[in-house]
Amino acid sequence: MRKFKTEARLKKITDAAIARQFSLKVVLENIHDLHNVSAIFRSCDAVGVPLVSLLYTFEKFPKINRISSASANKWVDVEKFDNTANCIQNLKQDGYTVFASMLDKNSVDLYDIDFTKKIAIILGNEHRGVSEEVAKLADSTYYIPMKGMIQSLNVSVAAAVTLYEAYRQRFQKGMYNQSQLDEDELNLLIDKWCSK
């Protein structure tokens, strides 16, 4: 049975569930700072990313809680990987085209990516960026164009910029107006959220 305080709350939950973008995925590779991880979770919730993959091969898995993520962890699911090849293989087997954020001469411009397709983006460690293994296994790397002297953004800001470009493209195509789940799956998600 659905548990909610008001009809307005149920409508908000239903609208957010319908808008979830199951064809858009985010992978965080060895991001050290919990504040950055939490900020990315908030951006993911804001644009409807339902699941974040944590790929941690040398850093400890972050402890994401309600306070640090402003409750975004209630609405965004998590899966964990400790093997890069397995993580990327799973994405590709599920039909995702994998883009890793990386400033490189072969990287494509963020604004040249078609985010209306089934896309996974990988964001790397604050100091080292994505690993060589990720860059090698990804379908492509991408960069965010910048006109200043500094060549990189904070990882949580880079995530937000990337996700809002995905949002813009998907919104223009009407992808937030119809659920990517069938009716039974959607009702299960709504029930799950109503019980939180």
Side-chain angles (χ1 to χ4, degrees):
M1 174 180 248
R2 290 185 181 160
K3 184 172 96 177
F4 54 95
K5 294 179 181 175
T6 64
E7 288 297 324
R9 176 75 169 162
L10 177 60
K11 182 179 185 320
K12 183 173 183 176
I13 286 173
T14 302
D15 289 348
I18 289 169
R20 278 305 193 240
Q21 300 294 298
F22 288 87
S23 57
L24 181 61
K25 207 163 209 182
V26 172
V27 180
L28 308 184
E29 185 196 22
N30 290 307
I31 294 179
H32 174 76
D33 190 326
L34 178 58
H35 296 291
N36 285 332
V37 174
S38 297
I40 293 169
F41 266 75
R42 291 173 74 172
S43 294
C44 286
D45 176 60
V47 303
V49 173
L51 175 72
V52 171
S53 301
L54 300 177
L55 171 58
Y56 279 67
T57 55
F58 60 84
E59 295 278 349
K60 290 182 180 178
F61 282 104
K63 293 181 180 177
I64 303 156
N65 59 45
R66 247 178 116 167
I67 296 168
S68 66
S69 69
S71 296
N73 68 316
K74 282 176 61 176
W75 316 111
V76 178
D77 291 329
V78 177
E79 64 181 356
K80 295 180 179 181
F81 292 92
D82 58 11
N83 182 287
T84 302
N86 287 347
C87 177
I88 294 178
Q89 182 180 19
N90 280 2
L91 290 168
K92 291 184 178 183
Q93 284 176 346
D94 287 342
Y96 289 91
T97 301
V98 180
F99 286 89
S101 176
M102 181 181 187
L103 186 60
D104 180 79
K105 64 178 182 176
N106 297 317
S107 295
V108 299
D109 188 313
L110 166 71
Y111 299 105
D112 290 332
I113 299 173
D114 182 354
F115 280 104
T116 65
K117 309 280 189 194
K118 199 169 185 181
I119 298 285
I121 61 164
I122 303 180
L123 300 149
N125 180 274
E126 292 90 338
H127 304 294
R128 294 172 293 275
V130 295
S131 64
E132 287 183 20
E133 188 177 10
V134 161
K136 181 179 174 184
L137 294 174
D139 294 298
S140 184
T141 57
Y142 78 96
Y143 69 94
I144 297 171
M146 299 175 65
K147 300 301 181 187
M149 295 297 292
I150 298 170
Q151 292 189 327
S152 65
L153 297 169
N154 171 280
V155 66
S156 66
V157 176
V161 169
T162 301
L163 289 170
Y164 270 89
E165 173 58 15
Y167 171 86
R168 184 190 68 80
Q169 292 183 26
R170 287 168 175 254
F171 181 82
Q172 286 184 340
K173 199 169 179 181
M175 294 176 71
Y176 285 93
N177 299 330
Q178 187 173 356
S179 177
Q180 295 180 1
L181 299 173
D182 66 33
E183 188 176 350
D184 289 339
E185 292 169 329
L186 178 63
N187 283 327
L188 280 173
L189 179 59
I190 293 168
D191 287 341
K192 175 183 169 184
W193 284 0
C194 283
S195 67
K196 291 188 177 189

